[in-house]
Amino acid sequence: MKYLIYFIIIAAFIDTFSQLPIMSPFAKTFDSSPAFVGLIVGMYSFSNMIGNILAGYWIDKNGAKKVLVSGLSLTGTILVLYAFAETPLHLITVRFFHGLFGGFLVPAAFTVIADRGKSDKQGKKWLYQVLLLAVLPLSGLLLALWLLPITA
């Protein structure tokens, strides 16, 4: 179970950070102004913060596993909608909901991991989580930069 949770964390971070260098050229294909391209790119981060806050409330109320499963389901559904975006407004809407539902994943996954551990092993578990937080954003960006020439 813990490896599945770590896989979810890895996938969520790679999903988040691999889109950063790709999203701007994708938004430009809709003939968006530079300011609107910036808004489209930043919308994920804005709504992700809201999702983190909502996730904390719902984790306390309903439990981390339910929030994790719903976050995965909703995020997976939203990812499909990128293919159907036809206007800048569609794209910014998809980005908003992607960030919102993506904001459920990491808090719920970390809570599941923390709840599973024994109190004398908590420090070691947090060490692994912090290492993931340090390494994954960089790997997601490097993956995107490697894929960018392929998709451009």
Side-chain angles (χ1 to χ4, degrees):
M1 176 70 168
K2 76 176 180 181
Y3 295 111
L4 176 63
I5 301 298
Y6 281 124
F7 175 76
I8 291 168
I9 293 169
I10 290 168
F13 271 93
I14 288 177
D15 166 53
T16 299
F17 289 100
S18 64
Q19 286 189 16
L20 286 175
I22 296 170
M23 191 52 56
S24 180
F26 182 57
K28 287 179 186 176
T29 64
F30 293 99
D31 294 328
S32 303
S33 70
F36 203 71
V37 168
L39 194 60
I40 290 170
V41 172
M43 184 55 70
Y44 180 95
S45 296
F46 172 73
S47 61
N48 192 271
M49 288 187 295
I50 296 169
N52 287 163
I53 293 167
L54 292 173
Y57 173 76
W58 285 326
I59 288 168
D60 290 343
K61 188 171 177 114
N62 300 317
K65 286 184 183 179
K66 288 181 182 177
V67 174
L68 183 62
V69 169
S70 64
L72 279 171
S73 303
L74 292 167
T75 301
T77 302
I78 290 298
L79 285 174
V80 172
L81 295 179
Y82 278 106
F84 298 104
E86 295 179 354
T87 67
L89 190 57
H90 289 161
L91 185 58
I92 200 168
T93 303
V94 171
R95 291 286 290 167
F96 176 82
F97 286 109
H98 183 202
L100 183 71
F101 300 139
F104 296 172
L105 296 178
V106 174
F110 282 166
T111 303
V112 169
I113 290 170
D115 288 348
R116 290 179 42 90
K118 298 176 183 171
S119 61
D120 62 333
K121 302 283 185 189
Q122 289 295 328
K124 189 174 182 179
K125 285 187 183 268
W126 280 108
L127 169 71
Y128 292 136
Q129 291 178 25
V130 170
L131 285 174
L132 276 175
L133 287 174
V135 171
L136 289 175
L138 180 61
S139 12
L141 285 171
L142 291 174
L143 175 66
L145 291 173
W146 179 69
L147 291 174
L148 193 56
I150 297 169
T151 60

